[in-house]
Amino acid sequence: MINPFKNKKGLGRGLSSLIGDSEVKITNNKISISSIIPNKYQPRKKFDKNSLEELTASIRERGIIQPIIVRASEDSNDKYELIAGERRWQAAQNAGLHEVPVVILNVDNLKSLEFAIVENVQRKDLNPIEEAEGYQRLINEFNYDQEKVAKFIGKSRAHISNCIRLLSLPTKVIEHIINEKISQGHAKVLVGLDNSELLAEKIIKKKLSVRQAEALARLVKSNKSSIKSKDPNSIDIENQLSSKIGMKVFLNNKKNNTGTLIFEYKGVDQLDRLIKIIKENY
């Protein structure tokens, strides 16, 4: 069969070219919607409810214009696994369609993942964590490196690296990214910081811009550096006081022997106990 998607070869070129490089078994064929199963390599996990409802209404009115791309299932002879078009497939089910138009490709697991990533990235359907997990899967399961991922996707290596680094953030911060409480720009600022979870909460609560978040991160790093350079006597005093009263203590002693002594309490009970100690002894 002549490939109807034939296109020039090259990386980072788009979904149509990926199809053009694949063996097409059947095009524009309608199959039962119940014979299609989800793509096990689908990087996208979150689908916007309102957007899906709009697409459902459109499909109910006009049908599916763009075919869904599938491949024969490896696990079941009478099933087809989605490669690209899961959102259309879900909306078609919601619209009550019994059959959908498909393009059936003969591709392996790697190509299936490549299709799914390219479709979603180019349409900007993935959140930053889903995008990062897709790239990481190419690296872990299919022996890609960051340079190869960058060439394939058509983005800079720095972009790929920055995306993947987001996966090192604490689970709570990752949840904030997925739920769009903080942006990818905010998240990049938090990577590598010990107290990233606390800073993320401050960014959300105070509605900080990315630039303000960067300033906050610089301040935290600066304070951390000053703590590291603190003299042993001050550290010893902090440790002794902390062990006595059960709270974190910070001593900032300047060269002229002036400074501040800070007690960090957690809850009203600790505050009341601290006040009681001071009153009883002074």
Side-chain angles (χ1 to χ4, degrees), residues 148-194:
K148 188 174 179 181
V149 173
K151 286 181 179 178
F152 167 68
I153 297 297
K155 294 182 179 287
S156 70
R157 181 171 178 175
H159 172 83
I160 304 300
S161 177
N162 286 332
C163 274
I164 292 175
R165 289 177 70 212
L166 298 181
L167 300 177
S168 66
L169 288 164
T171 303
K172 192 66 178 177
V173 179
I174 288 177
E175 288 175 1
H176 290 326
I177 301 169
I178 294 172
N179 295 324
E180 300 180 355
K181 291 185 177 180
I182 60 175
S183 69
Q184 185 170 1
H186 290 115
K188 283 161 63 177
V189 173
L190 300 175
V191 172
L193 298 179
D194 294 336

Side-chain angles (χ1 to χ4, degrees), residues 50-106:
N50 292 332
S51 176
L52 193 60
E53 287 176 351
E54 289 174 1
L55 182 58
T56 299
S58 175
I59 288 175
R60 190 179 288 119
E61 181 73 21
R62 302 179 183 85
I64 294 181
I65 298 172
Q66 185 178 1
I68 294 169
I69 303 171
V70 299
R71 65 172 178 160
S73 171
E74 295 177 335
D75 305 319
S76 180
N77 291 331
D78 59 345
K79 297 290 183 181
Y80 293 91
E81 183 182 285
L82 270 165
I83 295 177
E86 181 165 346
R87 188 166 159 269
R88 272 168 282 147
W89 175 61
Q90 288 189 17
Q93 292 180 83
N94 295 341
L97 269 63
H98 299 293
E99 291 184 327
V100 290
V102 297
V103 174
I104 303 175
L105 301 182
N106 184 18

